[in-house]
Amino acid sequence: MRLGVNIDHIATLREARKTVEPDPVKGALIAIEAGADQITLHLREDRRHIQDEDLFRLKCELKDTQIPINLEMAPTLEMKNIALEALPNTTTLVPEKRQEITTEGGLDVVSMKDYLKEYIRELKESGIKVSLFIDPDIQQIDASLEVGADAVEIHTGEYANAYGKNVEKELERIKKAAKYAKEKGLAVYAGHGLNYENVVNIAKIKEIEELNIGHSIIANAIFLGLYQAVKKMKEIITNARG
């Protein structure tokens, strides 16, 4: 299982003071040294954390490596133009609302099929793989296939926030969706709200080949240091796979 480390919240700390540190690109390099298989970053429309310059500096730093960049972004014209210039390995299309603290759910691909078909076509013609961040829902998976996505990233937020019997219920939804998406030929990823405890059940789902995790790793880095925080998450998901 691959681990994509999301560096957004290194930038969140920097932007709290509008200064130059901590540098998310430096954080990305430490994460890679500790075992990260991919660097993920979300360039939001309001630029609340990651800035355009971060993306292009990261692209420059990783150009001679095998480490892919996964750019999370809203499916807007502005973001498409930035992606076509930066050429990340993957773009993950996510819903975005200015007032939300973090992404609150999956992209409603079903209601956006006509728009997304053309949007995705341009990205793929430029050699960028396209993943759609969706809820664990069969209709959304079918729609993702229809619009030409290469992969789906299953939103694990409801599972991460569940209590009691709802934990197993949400876990079953994710398992069912992952199995269905894999059978349909999509690459299957997952992420949102995962931490050292709840990630184990997700990492055991064989159809999921990649996890993208940010907040928990950066939060634990305050106490452990970034290298150890990434290394520990990598060890947990590797051991969960057996």
Side-chain angles (χ1 to χ4, degrees):
M1 174 171 276
R2 297 189 302 274
L3 173 61
V5 174
N6 186 310
I7 59 172
D8 291 353
H9 296 302
I10 301 175
T12 296
L13 185 56
R14 177 191 64 191
E15 295 303 310
R17 293 291 294 269
K18 299 296 182 184
T19 183
V20 297
E21 61 180 5
D23 179 9
V25 175
K26 181 178 179 179
L29 299 178
I30 294 171
I32 291 166
E33 184 182 355
D37 303 292
Q38 173 174 273
I39 298 300
T40 294
L41 67 171
H42 184 174
L43 184 63
R44 278 184 170 265
E45 293 181 89
D46 62 8
R47 306 304 198 270
R48 67 176 64 172
H49 38 55
I50 294 296
Q51 306 298 307
D52 301 48
E53 181 186 5
D54 297 325
L55 170 61
F56 288 98
R57 286 195 301 119
L58 183 66
K59 177 77 174 181
C60 184
E61 286 286 348
L62 299 189
K63 67 180 180 180
D64 295 325
T65 75
Q66 299 297 312
I67 302 298
I69 296 171
N70 171 32
L71 175 62
E72 296 181 340
M73 64 186 203
T76 66
L77 177 60
E78 178 197 22
M79 291 300 156
K80 180 173 67 175
N81 289 337
I82 291 171
L84 292 175
E85 181 180 357
L87 296 177
N89 303 82
T90 302
T91 56
T92 299
L93 304 184
V94 302
E96 196 170 300
K97 292 185 289 188
R98 294 292 176 97
Q99 67 272 27
E100 68 187 1
I101 295 174
T102 185
T103 306
E104 295 175 345
L107 192 68
D108 186 2
V109 185
V110 172
S111 69
M112 300 174 65
K113 283 193 290 188
D114 291 341
Y115 175 78
L116 287 174
K117 281 180 183 177
E118 179 63 21
Y119 193 96
I120 289 171
R121 181 187 63 79
E122 291 185 64
L123 294 171
K124 292 180 68 171
E125 285 177 354
S126 296
I128 302 170
K129 291 192 299 182
V130 178
S131 175
L132 302 181
F133 184 73
I134 62 169
D135 291 326
D137 180 272
I138 300 303
Q139 282 187 308
Q140 297 297 341
I141 294 169
D142 286 337
S144 299
L145 276 167
E146 193 173 336
V147 300
D150 300 293
V152 290
E153 179 171 341
I154 296 174
H155 177 234
T156 54
E158 292 297 322
Y159 159 75
N161 293 329
Y163 292 93
K165 293 180 180 179
N166 286 332
V167 174
E168 191 59 36
K169 176 184 173 183
E170 293 299 329
L171 184 60
E172 286 305 311
R173 287 182 67 209
I174 293 168
K175 288 178 179 179
K176 181 180 177 181
K179 187 173 187 296
Y180 183 81
K182 191 73 171 180
E183 288 172 350
K184 291 293 184 178
L186 290 165
V188 185
Y189 315 144
H192 202 77
L194 298 177
N195 57 40
Y196 292 150
E197 288 75 39
N198 63 26
V199 74
V200 174
N201 287 329
I202 301 299
K204 289 179 179 178
I205 302 172
K206 67 180 188 308
E207 290 84 3
I208 298 175
E209 57 195 74
E210 172 185 298
L211 298 179
N212 288 292
I213 304 174
H215 183 268
S216 179
I217 289 174
I218 303 307
N220 279 281
I222 293 172
F223 306 108
L224 300 175
L226 183 55
Y227 180 92
Q228 290 297 332
V230 173
K231 189 170 184 288
K232 180 173 179 178
M233 183 64 80
K234 181 70 174 181
E235 288 173 352
I236 289 169
I237 67 173
T238 299
N239 291 338
R241 294 293 257 209

